[in-house]
Amino acid sequence: MDATFTAIADPTRRALIDALRERNDSSLFDLCSRLMSVSGIAISRQAVSKHIAVLEAAGLLSVRKTGRTNIHHLDTTRLDEVTAWLNAHTNTQEEA
C-alpha cells in the first residue's frame, strides 16, 4: 500500500490516472497529449514514461505492447484497497 500512496502523492501521476480513467488503454503519445490539453501539464514523453514506471511498480497500471506501441491500462484494484483502508480508518475515528 505504501507504493500506492507514493504513486498518487504526485500531481502529474494523479493526472495520468485521471486521463486513463477517462480513456483507458492509451498510448504514451495519447497520454502526453491529454496531459497538455486537459490538465495543462507540459511534460516530455521521457518524463511521462518515468511517471508511468512508478504507477506500474505500484500496480496501478499495466503496459502491453501492440506492434511498436505500448498501451497503458489502468488497474484500480490498488486504489480500491486504499479506499477501503481509508474508509475503515475514517469510520473508526468517527465512532470514537
Side-chain angles (χ1 to χ4, degrees):
M1 197 175 323
D2 291 343
T4 304
F5 278 113
T6 299
I8 62 176
D10 185 87
T12 301
R13 290 192 284 270
R14 288 193 306 271
L16 281 167
I17 290 169
D18 290 341
L20 286 166
R21 286 194 68 181
E22 290 175 17
R23 187 171 173 201
N24 210 354
D25 298 322
S26 295
S27 69
L28 179 63
F29 179 79
D30 290 338
L31 289 170
C32 289
S33 297
R34 268 188 275 132
L35 283 177
M36 182 58 188
S37 65
V38 175
S39 303
I41 299 172
I43 188 170
S44 69
R45 281 183 278 169
Q46 183 178 12
V48 172
S49 290
K50 289 181 180 183
H51 285 293
I52 286 171
V54 173
L55 292 170
E56 186 176 15
L60 293 169
L61 65 82
S62 60
V63 181
R64 78 178 187 315
K65 197 135 181 110
T66 302
R68 292 177 25 182
T69 304
N70 287 334
I71 302 298
H72 305 89
H73 177 81
L74 180 65
D75 181 354
T76 59
T77 304
R78 302 280 188 213
L79 292 175
D80 294 340
E81 291 170 2
V82 168
T83 300
W85 184 86
L86 289 171
N87 287 338
H89 286 76
T90 301
N91 292 339
T92 301
Q93 290 179 1
E94 289 175 358
E95 294 171 2

